[in-house]
Amino acid sequence: MVFGEGNPETDLMLIGEAPGEQEDLQGRTFVGKAGQLLTKFLNLFGVAREEVYITNIVKCRPPGNRNPEIDEIRTCYPYLEEQIKLIKPKVILCLGAFSARTILNLPEKTPISGIRGTVQNVNNIKVIPTYHPAYLLRNRKGEPEFQKDLELALRLAGFIG
Ligand code: URA
């Protein structure tokens, strides 16, 4: 199980999809290639990953990195709800369509391109959907938009002015 890590007092929570191979091996979130890219972007704004809280919708690695299934999401959701309740972030940055659809309760096929960069309100938490860092590894063109969304999240959470 890969639970999540970071500063429990933080105002910014990052929520990805599910652990990949490296995460499964190390028991830590976002430590593979996508995680290294995420860390690089945080560092670009002078923020260390230890200053935010990073977790996933699904806490165990889906075999072969397939998409998580609905029963897996349902099983894991109470843990995520409890994490959100304990950490009480001001802002949640949803990494990828899967995370955004789950947190915002959107239909299954909702494309991330149509909702990224918007600020939604869920139980008085500002929720911002953006691309998944693994998507950026394949589509470098998305990086400026990702950077913009991360900047907005960091600003709304008070990390940058
Ligand atoms: N992708 C995710 O969605 N989460 C991780 O922790 C790693 C890769």
Side-chain angles (χ1 to χ4, degrees), residues 1-4 14-20 23-24 28-30 54-63 65-81 83 95 98-99 102-103:
M1 179 168 175
V2 182
F3 189 70
L14 273 47
I15 306 180
E17 180 174 321
E23 289 75 21
D24 192 33
R28 299 182 56 202
T29 48
F30 278 98
I54 310 177
T55 189
N56 287 302
I57 300 282
V58 165
K59 309 302 189 198
C60 295
R61 183 190 181 201
N65 290 355
R66 63 159 166 72
N67 287 337
E69 287 170 3
I70 193 74
D71 63 318
E72 294 165 341
I73 301 165
R74 286 210 184 109
T75 305
C76 293
Y77 200 70
Y79 294 99
L80 182 62
E81 264 190 318
Q83 283 174 305
L95 305 172
F98 187 84
S99 166
T102 306
I103 299 295

